[in-house]
Amino acid sequence: MNSSLERYTERVEQYASRFPRFPRFVDVTMVLALIGCAFFGTQLSLPGDNRPDTGKSLEVLLGLSCFVLLTYRTHTRTVVVVVAGVTIAAIARGYLLTPMLLAPLLAAMYWLAVLCDRRTVRLYALVATVALLTVNLFSDGMRDLSPVLTVVGPVFWMALPLVGGSLTRLRGDYLEAVKSRAEHAERTREEEARLRVTEERMRIARELHDVVAHHLALANAQAGTAAHLSRSNPEQSRKILDDLTGTTSAALRELKATLGLLRQDDRPEGEGLEPAPGLARLPELIDSYRSAGLEVVVHQQGVRRPLTPGVDLTAYRIVQEALTNVAKHAPERATRVGFTYADSRLLITVSNDGPATAGATADSGTSGGFGLRGMRERAQSIGGDLCAGPRPEGGFEVTTALPLQASAAVEGESP
């Protein structure tokens, strides 16, 4: 029954939204029906009783009070007062209190329960019911009925529109709450989607920066060294050029692998993509810089421990970017790379003996570089931190502390 009524109500609301004048048509139809009910109610009386002789004035007044219901949306309380006053006056003149006679008042009470707050509904309903019962107990039309029937009937009839209006209001509040939750969920999904797109774009940007900056800086250093040795040591120059070919080939492979991330939805998982690099490839990375003429010394303290994939990739990329900065700004200086395994963290230090401003000038946020910013973002994304700056004794140093085991949530978000 309730589902059928809800479907009917939804259809009426949809029809009303399509035709703006439909609600006014419904209101006019309701008023005409209430006029008919009120007029029929004035014709009823108990067996053996005569209808009160009031002429037609009170019946006309009842009909006019029904037209006041047309303003129930804007003057709900006034409508209740006017209709209740006319109805009580009719009962006081001796008309029999029946649901037909009460129809305009019941309609006014229904809309009061729908459109007004609970406190107002309780106040107006209590005053109208008490006034109605008081007049009804002393009315000539109810003198042959017992006081119980005189009280119970009107109270029951007055309660019906209040209950129906309250249910309608609750249903409207529920639908509004559902709509608000749906809109909030939609906004949340859109914001989350934008956030994920931004994060993914930052990951890809960091990967492209690391790959391009590393290989181009290395290729530039190898080409410069080869040009410098082309006359004095042609054999060494030829070897460096061979290494340069390997560097450019590696750059193309990593670029292909990184850009392939954008097409993962169109390909089987992992097809055509190289695994993410880690510290296992550190010797290969160090050799590539040594072939370009950069002196790199690696030392380790503590027992080496396994790293999660996110931490392993982050450590590799930070060392790679730090060596790239050294190759760009202080290629003739010695560089030291240190790994210290503590209880729960891995400390990585990359330092050189070049000028104190090397690396900082080119990669500071004020000059538009992204090297230091990218390294810091990588470290923070897995719960670590990174510091970079000039050394007191000269040169530049990058120090980062990474957790040995990143949490599952952070690991899933790490680049």
Side-chain angles (χ1 to χ4, degrees):
M1 181 65 180
N2 291 336
S3 60
S4 301
L5 180 60
E6 290 179 358
R7 287 197 298 268
Y8 176 76
T9 304
E10 291 176 358
R11 291 176 183 175
V12 171
E13 292 174 351
Q14 293 175 358
Y15 194 80
S17 62
R18 293 174 56 188
F19 300 95
R21 296 185 179 180
F22 180 73
R24 179 58 60 181
F25 171 76
V26 173
D27 293 344
V28 173
T29 303
M30 176 191 68
V31 167
L32 295 178
L34 292 175
I35 291 176
C37 291
F39 177 78
F40 183 73
T42 59
Q43 308 304 310
L44 299 177
S45 61
L46 293 174
D49 289 344
N50 295 324
R51 294 174 53 246
D53 186 14
T54 59
K56 297 294 183 181
S57 58
L58 194 56
E59 296 177 5
V60 172
L61 192 60
L62 279 172
L64 292 177
S65 69
C66 293
F67 282 101
V68 179
L69 285 166
L70 291 174
T71 62
Y72 71 85
R73 290 187 178 88
T74 56
H75 302 85
T76 309
R77 299 173 179 84
T78 304
V79 168
V80 172
V81 172
V82 172
V83 175
V86 174
T87 303
I88 291 174
I91 296 172
R93 292 298 300 271
Y95 283 101
L96 181 64
L97 193 155
T98 63
M100 303 299 291
L101 186 66
L102 286 177
L105 179 59
L106 299 182
M109 297 303 296
Y110 172 82
W111 289 115
L112 180 73
V114 172
L115 300 176
C116 296
D117 59 275
R118 295 180 180 178
R119 182 178 180 181
T120 301
V121 173
R122 285 194 295 265
L123 176 62
Y124 278 74
L126 179 62
V127 172
T129 303
V130 170
L132 191 66
L133 290 177
T134 302
V135 173
N136 192 41
L137 286 174
F138 298 98
S139 173
D140 293 338
M142 305 294 291
R143 63 179 180 274
D144 296 332
L145 297 178
S146 66
V148 175
L149 294 178
T150 304
V151 173
V152 172
V155 171
F156 176 75
W157 295 329
M158 291 290 288
L160 286 179
L162 296 176
V163 172
S166 298
L167 292 177
T168 301
R169 185 186 61 200
L170 290 175
R171 178 179 178 273
D173 294 342
Y174 170 75
L175 294 178
E176 186 66 25
V178 170
K179 181 179 178 181
S180 299
R181 285 198 298 268
E183 292 176 352
H184 176 71
E186 184 65 25
R187 289 194 301 269
T188 303
R189 283 195 296 269
E190 292 177 357
E191 292 174 0
E192 183 178 357
R194 286 195 295 268
L195 180 60
R196 289 186 178 277
V197 169
T198 302
E199 291 176 349
E200 188 63 25
R201 186 170 64 246
M202 292 300 296
R203 290 193 190 101
I204 295 175
R206 284 195 293 265
E207 287 295 322
L208 288 176
H209 174 270
D210 290 344
V211 171
V212 173
H214 160 62
H215 288 291
L216 287 184
L218 184 58
N220 180 68
Q222 289 173 332
T225 304
H228 178 71
L229 298 176
S230 59
R231 294 184 179 180
S232 60
N233 194 342
E235 190 65 29
Q236 181 67 19
S237 176
R238 189 178 305 108
K239 182 180 182 301
I240 293 177
L241 290 177
D242 292 338
D243 293 339
L244 176 60
T245 302
T247 299
T248 56
S249 299
L252 291 175
R253 287 196 304 271
E254 289 205 34
L255 281 175
K256 181 180 179 181
T258 303
L259 296 177
L261 295 173
L262 302 176
R263 302 184 178 90
Q264 279 186 337
D265 291 340
D266 300 328
R267 308 172 63 175
E269 185 176 357
E271 179 184 338
L273 302 181
E274 293 185 355
L279 292 182
R281 293 177 56 180
L282 185 63
E284 177 185 344
L285 177 68
I286 299 299
D287 290 341
S288 65
Y289 280 103
R290 286 172 177 167
S291 68
L294 184 66
E295 182 181 349
V296 182
V297 178
V298 181
H299 59 89
Q300 174 182 316
Q301 294 182 3
V303 180
R304 184 171 181 177
R305 302 179 187 178
L307 306 175
T308 58
V311 177
D312 198 18
L313 172 63
T314 300
Y316 178 85
R317 290 303 190 194
I318 288 176
V319 173
Q320 181 188 58
E321 179 61 28
L323 292 177
T324 299
N325 289 341
V326 173
K328 287 191 295 184
H329 307 297
E332 71 284 355
R333 306 291 181 169
T335 303
R336 291 169 295 280
V337 180
F339 297 90
T340 302
Y341 290 87
D343 293 337
S344 60
R345 301 182 78 81
L346 169 62
L347 181 65
I348 302 176
T349 304
V350 181
S351 59
N352 65 81
D353 299 326
T357 57
T361 303
D363 288 296
S364 63
T366 58
S367 63
F370 297 99
L372 293 179
R373 183 190 306 175
M375 287 190 291
R376 186 171 291 110
E377 289 175 353
R378 283 187 179 276
Q380 293 174 352
S381 68
I382 60 171
D385 54 74
L386 183 140
C387 297
R391 302 169 62 205
E393 61 272 20
F396 197 82
E397 183 176 78
V398 175
T399 303
T400 181
L402 306 177
L404 292 178
Q405 299 291 328
S407 63
V410 175
E411 185 75 15
E413 297 174 359
S414 62

